[in-house]
Each structure stands twice: as C-alpha cells, then as structure tokens.
Amino acid sequence: MLNIKNLHARLEQKEILRGINLQVNPEEIHAILGPNGSGKSTLGRVLVGDEKYEKTEGKMTLEGRNFDEMDSAERAQAGFFLSFQSPPEIDGVSAKELLLAAKKALDKDFRSSFRLKKELSENLKKLHLSDEFMTRDVHKGASGGERRKMEMASLLTIDPKIAFLDEIDSGIDVDAMKAIATAIQEFMKRKGKALILVSHTEKLLQMIQPTHFHVLCAGTIVQSGGQEIMERVHQCGFCDFIQEKKKNSQLKVVS
Amino acid sequence: MSSTVQFQEISRADLDTPNTQKYAEKFRKGLTEEVVREISADKKEPQWMLEIRLKALKIFHKKKIPTWGPDLRKLDFTDIRYFSTASENPNAKTWEEVDPEIKRTFERLKIPEAERAVLAGVGAQYESENVYHNIKKEWEEKGVIFEDFDVAVQKYPDLVRKYFSRSVPLNDHKFAALHYAVTSGGTFLYVPKGVKITQPLQAYFRMNSMNQGQFEHTLIVVEEGADVHYIEGCSAPKYGSQALHAGCVEVFVEKGAKARYSSVENWSKDTYNLNTKRALVHENARMEWIGGNLGSGVTMLYPCSILIGDNAQADHLGVAFANTDQNQDTGAKIIINGKNCRAKIVSKSLAKGGGITTYRGLIDIKPHAENATVNVECDALMLDDKSVSDTIPHITCDNPTASMTHEASAGKISEEVLLYFQSRGIDEETAKGMIVNGFLDEIVKTLPLEYAVELNRLIELEMEGSVG
C-alpha cells in the first residue's frame, strides 16, 4: 500500500532523513520508536508534502501512485492522513465547515452537510467530545488532549486509507488515552486500513498491539521487528540500538 | 438555513457592466457656481439649502487637499460630472414604474429580491437621483419616515434643517465641503420615539456613467428608545477613467436609542471613495458601524462616533480588502465626552496583489469623560509579498480614569494552517478562501445572513486567481 524507498530529506541545510525504507500493507499497524530528533515527525511531514522539507532522494508511493507528482491535498485525496503533533488554531472556521470541505474534496458527490453533521457528532461522542466542538473554531482554546481527540474524530470522519499518527498520545490523561485507543481500533476494524504510529508511551502501544515495530535513529531505521523490540527499548532505551548502528557503520567503513 | 436572496450568484459582470449613458451628455463636467445653482434649481430647493451649497463651494475652493494618507494628486476635479439623472421618473413607489434598463440593473444586484425577503424598506439611487423609494406600510403607519433626501427637504424642511450638517460641518474637510456644494439624493430616515424596527432598511447606490460623481446625503435620526438597522450597498462599472464618490452620513442616536449602520462599498476600481460618516450618540444610546470596503482605487473612510451622553456606546467593525492598484485607507474615530462610555473597534484588513491597506484610528478622550473604556483590535492579513499593510493609531487621553487596550497583528496566512487544510484534502485555493473567510468571520457574522453571503461572495470574486 504505502511504499517508502531510500527516502532522504533535509530541513534547510540539515539532512534529517537518511535513507528510510518502509513498506506498509493493509491491516498493518507500524509503530515507529526512536529518540527525540531522530526524524520521526519529519517522516510524517515529508509524507504529507510539507514544503519546508526538501526531499533529496528516494521514492514514496501510495497504491502505486508517486507522491512526487502530488501536492499535499492530492496526497490526502489519494487516502493519506496525517494527524498533527501540535494542530494549529484556526480562526473563524469550525470543524463542521472544515470537514465538510474535506469530504467534498475527497468525494465529488458528497454534498450533504446534514450527513456530515451526523457522522461527526457520532465520532466526537466516541472521543468523549461534546457537539460544541463541531461548531467552535477548530482547536481554538482547546487543551492538548482535546486537540488530539479532535484529530482522531477527524480521522474517523475523513476515513482515509492510511493514517500517520504523530504522537497522538503525548501529554494526555488515561481516559483520553483509552478513548483514542478505542478510536484507533475502530478505524483498523474498517476494511483494508493501515496505520503508522509514532509514540513514546508504551501504554498506547500495549492497547493497540502494532503488527510491526521500527526503531528510527539519526534518520534511518536501525531495527525492525515485532513486539520484542518494544520490550528491548523498554529495558535498555535507545542507546543499545544507537551503539549497534555505530558498530555496523564502522564495520562498513572497514570493509 | 437557506437564504431566499441568491447573492452568491452575483458575478463580476453584474457589477462591472454599464448601461447606456447617453443621458449623461446633457450634463457638463466640472465644478462652477453655475453648476451648483443648477443643481439647486433642478430640485426646486428652498433658499436656505442653496445658501448652504454656495457657502460650502467657497470653503471647498479654499481648503487644501489632505497632505496625509493616499496620494490624491491624480484626482482631476474638472473631469467629473457632478450631477446627472438617467430616469424620467424618479422616486417610483413600485419597481414596475422604474425604467426597465435601470430596473434590470438592480435586479442583477438582487435588490428587489432582498426587499421582498428581508427588508422593511428600500431606496435605490442611480447617478444623482433615487429611482425607487419605498417603505412597508406597517412602519409608515408607526410614523417612520424613509425618503429620498431631496424629497425630505421638500416634505419635512424643519426636521431636515434641525439635523442637516449638525454632525459633519461644512468646513470639516475639503471633501465634506465639496459634498455639501453638490449633494444630491441619499436617504432621510426618521424613527420616532420608542419605535423598534425589526427588519433592516436598505439603500443601494449605483453609479453608471463614466466620470460620474455621487454625493448623496444620508441623514438618520433615531429618537429616544427607538431601534433601527440601516444598510447601504454601492457599486459602479469599471471604465479605466476616474469617478468620485464623496457621500456623507449623519446619524443622531438620541437617549437610549440604538442604531446599526451596515455598508458594503464596492465601487469600481476607478473610483475615489472619499466618504464621511459620523454619529452623535446621546445618553445610554448605542451606535454600531459595520463596514466592508472592497472596491474603489482609493478609499479614505473613518466612520466617527461622538459619545456625548453618559453611558453611551459605540462599536466599529470594519473589513477592508485591497487588491492590485487599490489603496484602502480606513479606520475609525471615537471622541468621548460623556461619563462611563464604552467603545470598541475591530478592524480586519486583507491585502493582495500589491494592494495597500492602512488602519488609521483616532481616539480622543476629553477631560470630562470619566471611566471611559476603549478596546481596539486591528488585524491585517497579507496574501503575498507584494502587498502592504500599515497601522496608524492616534490616541489622546485627557482623563486619568480611562482604560484602553490596543491590539494589533499583521502577517501572512500561516503556512502551518494552510498545510493543515491541505492535509485534509482541501486544495490551496479553497483553503485560502476558507482561511480568509474565517479571518473575517467575527465581523461578517454580525451582518444579516443574506448580506454575510453577499460579502463572502464579493470576497470570493476578489480571491479568484490567488494561487499563482
């Protein structure tokens, strides 16, 4: 479904992604772990087409369609969704208006603001947000937890093929975490969906049970595998992986 | 909620396409005493009115062009037609009596439609004259007067004379003097004591021929405890040659009364819009100015509220949009003399394609004005690197008990916000339109739904091609 090959990208003069390879298939949940500044959020930004980042090498495709030939809106229309780590406040535009415009962009035949309202209201309820969030300015004056829950309600409403959730669980209380986990599970129950999850907290990962784990260090994936990776990170942190990587690269230089 | 007035269908052509202008040839260009006397004679005015005109003309010749604000040096007073009439039948009471071509123009601008749906009364001015003026019976029966200003001078001379030029004096500035010399048409609205009009009244001003000038006078008197909402709309076709609008609006808000004045000014980009608007607000009264300035090459407009009574209030909400070759110099003036007065200014401006927007504000708190509260908020959004925005606030405070805040912001559309919209599948042009509408929302939502739709539509027309 989503195929990332040898992806290199930089922000201004600084190279952040240095050759990422990742293949995500339907029904899979990929958790990306890694220390701060390793490039996790950058990966999401490059995937969504943030022009601040310059892709210098590599290829990203979604169901065979090359992201290089698509702008951010077209990537979203093709089925890619990014939840923002710090979603911005938007003056004078409500979630209802924003998501109606989004639905219309994704589906030319979608016109019913009534249907959107009903769907959004149901999804807000699942995240324990009141209907008030439908009409007030998007993210305006909302807490971190409310913003993240709103991102999840948006995800359920937009219904993309694949979502990249960037620290959807940071700085939220247990109840919010549960609501978000339940929403993720509901999304994954829908047919053919896939997920990439950037997270620092073990709690959410335990609830979600990702199918794949990757450790990202200094812009490359240094280790991929299953559940055992999370346990290793939990016990020894990322130092282990970083040391291993250094060793490997030294070996490469020697050979 | 569905609007019965289809303002969203208004196109650029509806606004920019002129009608025939053969009639205009009968009227000469330029400003002389003779022209002023002819205007007065044409209207069969009382002597006092002619005297005001002649006095104003002298002041006009003496006063200098303002040396601040936008450059007015290209404005050629000799190449303007100060008076012209297109219709044989002014002040019709039904649209059937209006000249068919003129009627079609107002139909394209959705005026009769709006009248049927949401308005208590409508005036429609074409060049120097009202072609239509009507108020619904129920309000007429309550003593509300809604007339063409020229008609009111004849029918209610004492009432008009009591208020006319009492808030904006002849020597206020050069263009006020010009206005009084050649004034023609406009509205007289009188709301008797305690009458609260539940539907808005509207006047629409249309200039049609090339190099036309329009100088309508709007006089609104809201007696004690009365309540009214008055709306003005204006437009003119585009010729690539100058036109001039120097109107004047005077509002008298008596004790405990409330007046709301909303306007959407959309003159063609050839027009100099040098307009004066002022309200005298008495004890416990409230004045609200809501303005959208989209058209005109040059606009200089600073609606003014003079809070003379205790506990008087004023709200000034303004939107200005400057596109290529447009200079929108707008703002507000608040003068406070009463005790415990409150004033609020919210100004939002948009600049695009090299347009210039300026917020120019004056707040003057006089020595007797105890416990005045003034809040000013002005936000400017620039849609590209070529456009310019300035904020020029001027504050004088002679009473130490006053409380004032001034918040200003200027910037471009946040890239993060734009990316957020796009990441939801919304294309750049639609996203920018939504962000701009959102930026203006605080002001637009104070308009009746139909007019909010109209303003949004006009902004949409300006936003076309904003993605390069």
Side-chain angles (χ1 to χ4, degrees):
Chain A
M1 184 189 230
L2 182 72
N3 219 328
I4 303 171
K5 272 195 192 137
N6 190 31
L7 183 64
H8 289 252
R10 63 182 181 198
L11 177 63
E12 279 144 22
Q13 290 312 308
K14 196 169 176 249
E15 190 169 31
I16 300 177
L17 300 184
R18 305 157 189 245
I20 303 251
N21 291 293
L22 187 66
Q23 159 95 34
V24 182
N25 299 309
E27 327 263 296
E28 291 178 354
I29 301 178
H30 290 243
I32 298 182
L33 315 174
N36 291 329
S38 58
K40 303 186 299 294
S41 291
T42 298
L43 178 59
R45 288 281 170 163
V46 173
L47 281 167
V48 83
D50 183 344
E51 286 173 357
K52 280 201 284 294
Y53 296 86
E54 188 195 346
K55 197 198 95 175
T56 49
E57 220 182 311
K59 201 172 176 186
M60 302 169 276
T61 55
L62 179 59
E63 295 183 324
R65 294 179 62 191
N66 190 347
F67 268 12
D68 281 350
E69 288 147 22
M70 303 152 102
D71 66 18
S72 304
E74 287 162 338
R75 293 177 194 191
Q77 287 161 17
F80 178 76
F81 179 96
L82 172 73
S83 86
F84 281 48
Q85 201 186 103
S86 326
E89 295 191 353
I90 299 164
D91 285 321
V93 180
S94 67
K96 205 174 74 187
E97 290 165 318
L98 181 79
L99 291 170
L100 182 62
K103 292 287 258 192
K104 283 178 175 169
L106 302 173
D107 175 2
K108 298 283 170 274
D109 295 327
F110 194 98
R111 271 189 203 91
S112 165
S113 71
F114 179 77
R115 207 177 103 200
L116 183 266
K117 223 170 117 180
K118 198 166 155 257
E119 254 178 63
L120 179 57
S121 172
E122 282 165 11
N123 291 330
L124 286 171
K125 208 170 289 160
K126 288 171 196 156
L127 275 309
H128 308 166
L129 291 173
S130 71
D131 272 359
E132 194 211 330
F133 281 85
M134 198 145 55
T135 47
R136 64 188 240 186
D137 293 1
V138 179
H139 300 312
K140 194 94 190 261
S143 70
E146 286 168 338
R147 288 184 199 208
R148 289 186 170 78
K149 289 197 278 185
M150 191 69 217
E151 289 292 272
M152 281 311 298
S154 304
L155 166 70
L156 291 179
T157 309
I158 288 176
D159 195 32
K161 291 175 183 148
I162 178 164
F164 187 107
L165 304 184
D166 191 1
E167 297 198 18
I168 195 85
D169 52 341
S170 76
I172 56 172
D173 61 35
V174 188
D175 292 337
M177 179 95 73
K178 269 191 199 154
I180 285 173
T182 312
I184 292 174
Q185 282 157 355
E186 184 194 318
F187 174 68
M188 287 307 294
K189 265 186 219 144
R190 297 178 187 173
K191 205 169 163 255
K193 305 295 182 189
L195 203 70
I196 302 172
L197 200 65
V198 170
S199 176
H200 279 300
T201 55
E202 217 179 314
K203 184 105 185 128
L204 183 74
L205 297 175
Q206 277 166 355
M207 289 193 247
I208 302 295
Q209 298 283 322
T211 53
H212 298 69
F213 287 83
H214 309 275
V215 176
L216 189 63
C217 277
T220 48
I221 290 175
V222 292
Q223 185 89 49
S224 296
Q227 197 78 22
E228 73 283 357
I229 291 195
M230 189 175 76
E231 279 150 28
R232 212 173 125 196
V233 170
H234 183 54
Q235 280 163 14
C236 344
F238 296 112
C239 299
D240 231 15
F241 295 100
I242 296 168
Q243 303 245 307
E244 216 165 282
K245 190 199 167 197
K246 270 191 191 150
K247 232 186 279 164
N248 287 345
S249 55
Q250 271 163 8
L251 283 175
K252 257 188 226 161
V253 172
V254 172
S255 65
Chain B
M1 214 178 337
S2 76
S3 156
T4 47
V5 191
Q6 305 299 315
F7 279 129
Q8 64 267 34
E9 290 168 3
I10 289 179
S11 73
R12 180 51 69 201
D14 292 332
L15 299 162
D16 283 350
T17 314
N19 290 344
T20 169
Q21 42 184 300
K22 239 182 145 28
Y23 59 85
E25 290 164 12
K26 290 186 293 187
F27 302 93
R28 71 189 117 161
K29 289 180 180 177
L31 183 59
T32 58
E33 188 179 320
E34 211 183 337
V35 167
V36 171
R37 283 182 184 278
E38 275 170 16
I39 294 172
S40 187
D42 188 90
K43 297 179 188 304
K44 302 186 180 67
E45 278 174 353
Q47 185 64 23
W48 60 267
M49 193 71 191
L50 176 64
E51 277 162 18
I52 286 177
R53 289 183 186 277
L54 294 172
K55 197 171 153 197
L57 182 67
K58 283 203 185 98
I59 296 168
F60 168 74
H61 285 310
K62 257 189 266 163
K63 286 250 179 199
K64 291 203 165 56
I65 288 261
T67 50
W68 48 274
D71 187 355
L72 300 174
R73 280 175 299 184
K74 280 189 194 149
L75 171 58
D76 179 0
F77 290 107
T78 63
D79 195 24
I80 291 289
R81 196 172 281 109
Y82 290 85
F83 181 77
S84 84
T85 57
S87 168
E88 297 294 308
N89 184 21
N91 281 298
K93 290 279 171 212
T94 64
W95 285 104
E96 283 68 42
E97 296 165 70
V98 175
D99 175 276
E101 194 186 11
I102 297 175
K103 184 179 145 203
R104 269 198 300 278
T105 301
F106 286 107
E107 275 170 351
R108 280 204 303 267
L109 298 166
K110 314 283 175 199
I111 304 303
E113 222 177 287
E115 179 181 20
R116 284 191 296 274
V118 291
L119 299 170
V122 161
Q125 179 156 346
Y126 194 81
E127 311 294 33
S128 304
E129 234 174 25
N130 274 289
V131 291
Y132 176 87
H133 227 281
N134 198 21
I135 178 168
K136 285 186 178 155
K137 266 231 146 48
E138 60 169 307
W139 300 112
E140 202 175 3
E141 282 162 5
K142 292 202 167 105
V144 177
I145 302 170
F146 182 60
E147 280 286 6
D148 170 14
F149 185 78
D150 296 339
V151 171
V153 170
Q154 307 286 345
K155 272 172 84 173
Y156 313 99
D158 296 340
L159 203 51
V160 169
R161 219 174 154 179
K162 184 175 164 193
Y163 294 100
F164 183 62
S165 78
R166 303 294 176 194
S167 80
V168 180
L170 311 191
N171 61 0
D172 206 59
H173 54 82
K174 190 173 180 75
F175 298 99
L178 174 67
H179 167 82
Y180 282 112
V182 293
T183 187
S184 183
T187 304
F188 177 63
L189 171 60
Y190 178 84
V191 190
K193 192 172 165 181
V195 175
K196 295 181 194 303
I197 307 185
T198 48
Q199 284 182 309
L201 295 128
Q202 185 183 15
Y204 198 97
F205 299 95
R206 175 79 179 170
M207 279 200 267
N208 177 58
S209 61
M210 192 158 104
N211 304 129
Q212 184 62 37
Q214 206 170 55
F215 309 94
E216 83 288 350
H217 196 88
T218 298
L219 182 56
I220 300 171
V221 179
V222 194
E223 291 283 22
E224 196 177 327
D227 189 335
V228 71
H229 182 186
Y230 173 76
I231 301 172
E232 277 187 358
C234 1
S235 66
K238 197 174 173 182
Y239 289 104
S241 182
Q242 65 166 6
L244 172 62
H245 176 248
C248 181
V249 177
E250 297 187 280
V251 188
F252 298 86
V253 198
E254 301 297 331
K255 227 165 136 182
K258 194 184 147 204
R260 173 182 280 200
Y261 171 99
S262 306
S263 66
V264 177
E265 305 207 22
N266 190 36
W267 301 109
S268 76
K269 289 173 190 165
D270 315 322
T271 308
Y272 286 87
N273 184 21
L274 311 170
N275 217 352
T276 310
K277 299 184 182 181
R278 194 163 301 165
L280 287 185
V281 191
H282 292 85
E283 201 181 326
N284 293 313
R286 182 187 177 95
M287 178 69 207
E288 295 171 0
W289 296 102
I290 299 158
N293 282 288
L294 291 105
S296 307
V298 174
T299 298
M300 291 175 81
L301 174 55
Y302 325 97
C304 169
S305 295
I306 305 176
L307 307 181
I308 43 184
D310 295 348
N311 309 307
Q313 292 181 32
D315 274 358
H316 289 235
L317 309 179
V319 172
F321 194 137
N323 212 330
T324 309
D325 296 328
Q326 283 184 285
N327 189 339
Q328 298 280 12
D329 204 277
T330 60
K333 267 163 99 170
I334 311 251
I335 298 160
I336 303 183
N337 208 27
K339 295 184 179 72
N340 308 314
C341 289
R342 271 191 328 135
K344 188 173 97 177
I345 299 170
V346 181
S347 159
K348 305 251 180 187
S349 71
L350 290 157
K352 182 190 156 218
I356 304 169
T357 60
T358 303
Y359 166 80
R360 202 180 288 275
L362 179 132
I363 291 160
D364 187 359
I365 298 176
K366 299 291 185 196
H368 297 295
E370 297 287 321
N371 301 317
T373 308
V374 181
N375 298 307
V376 182
E377 184 196 324
C378 39
D379 300 317
L381 196 58
M382 284 162 280
L383 297 169
D384 51 45
D385 295 328
K386 296 185 286 182
S387 304
V388 181
S389 176
D390 276 319
T391 301
I392 308 173
H394 184 95
I395 299 169
T396 310
C397 182
D398 289 325
N399 187 302
T401 61
S403 141
M404 263 190 280
T405 62
H406 181 100
E407 285 175 57
S409 78
K412 288 196 217 155
I413 288 182
S414 144
E415 281 173 22
E416 185 72 0
V417 170
L418 191 57
L419 182 69
Y420 188 79
F421 275 76
Q422 291 174 292
S423 78
R424 299 303 188 245
I426 302 165
D427 67 80
E428 189 180 344
E429 185 157 353
T430 309
K432 280 186 172 171
M434 288 180 76
I435 293 166
V436 163
N437 279 343
F439 172 73
L440 301 176
D441 185 60
E442 189 182 347
I443 293 173
V444 173
K445 73 183 175 199
T446 62
L447 292 168
L449 179 68
E450 286 76 7
Y451 295 90
V453 171
E454 182 187 13
L455 189 60
N456 281 338
R457 173 65 186 144
L458 294 175
I459 288 164
E460 205 175 288
L461 287 172
E462 291 300 327
M463 286 294 290
E464 275 170 11
S466 63
V467 178

